[in-house]
């Protein structure tokens, strides 16, 4: 019904930058919020950044370094990551919240994830 595809991950040295993108496709009428989550090996998935129509929010560990943005016309969310640290390494997942889609249903959707590795 609805698919989210992340892109932009890769290997970067500490202090470097990456820009992640996530595009939602399908019969979508509206998306209430979109966000980025990450999961490091052996750790639980955590919120990185989230954007609604009214505000943005960030995990304390990334605030000031990461910027989330959203293009409602294309159902795309971005995450600009600067001053990357080794601790930022993990699989980054895109989430679309309260998506109104086919048959007037509402549901959250997750992308499959993109790997971000910060290493020298």
């Amino acid at each position: 019904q609805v698919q989210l595809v992340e892109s932009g991950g890769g290997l970067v040295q500490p202090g470097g930058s990456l820009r992640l993108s996530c595009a939602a496709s399908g019969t979508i009428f509206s998306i209430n919020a979109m966000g980025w989550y990450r999961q490091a090996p052996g750790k639980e998935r955590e919120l990185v950044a989230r954007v609604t129509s009214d505000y943005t929010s960030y995990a304390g560990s990334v605030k000031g370094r990461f910027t989330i943005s959203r293009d409602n016309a294309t159902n795309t969310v971005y995450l600009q990551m600067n001053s990357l640290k080794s601790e930022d390494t993990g699989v980054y997942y895109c989430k679309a919240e309260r998506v109104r889609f086919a048959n007037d249903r509402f549901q959250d959707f997750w992308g499959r994830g993109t790997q971000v590795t910060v290493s020298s």
Side-chain angles (χ1 to χ4, degrees), residues 15-91:
S17 298
L18 284 174
R19 188 180 190 237
L20 305 182
S21 299
C22 172
S25 62
T27 307
I28 300 171
F29 299 105
S30 64
I31 301 175
N32 183 58
M34 301 189 79
W36 287 96
Y37 295 72
R38 69 186 180 190
Q39 187 168 23
K43 296 184 178 180
E44 296 183 358
R45 187 175 300 184
E46 64 175 352
L47 172 69
V48 176
R50 183 174 179 268
V51 59
T52 70
S53 61
D54 299 321
Y55 63 89
T56 58
S57 60
Y58 298 89
S61 60
V62 308
K63 193 170 185 178
R65 299 188 297 120
F66 292 9
T67 302
I68 189 170
S69 59
R70 178 181 179 183
D71 184 346
N72 292 331
T74 59
N75 290 322
T76 303
V77 64
Y78 305 92
L79 185 67
Q80 178 66 47
M81 305 185 292
N82 299 326
S83 301
L84 284 162
K85 306 174 181 179
S86 60
E87 303 93 279
D88 296 317
T89 294
V91 178

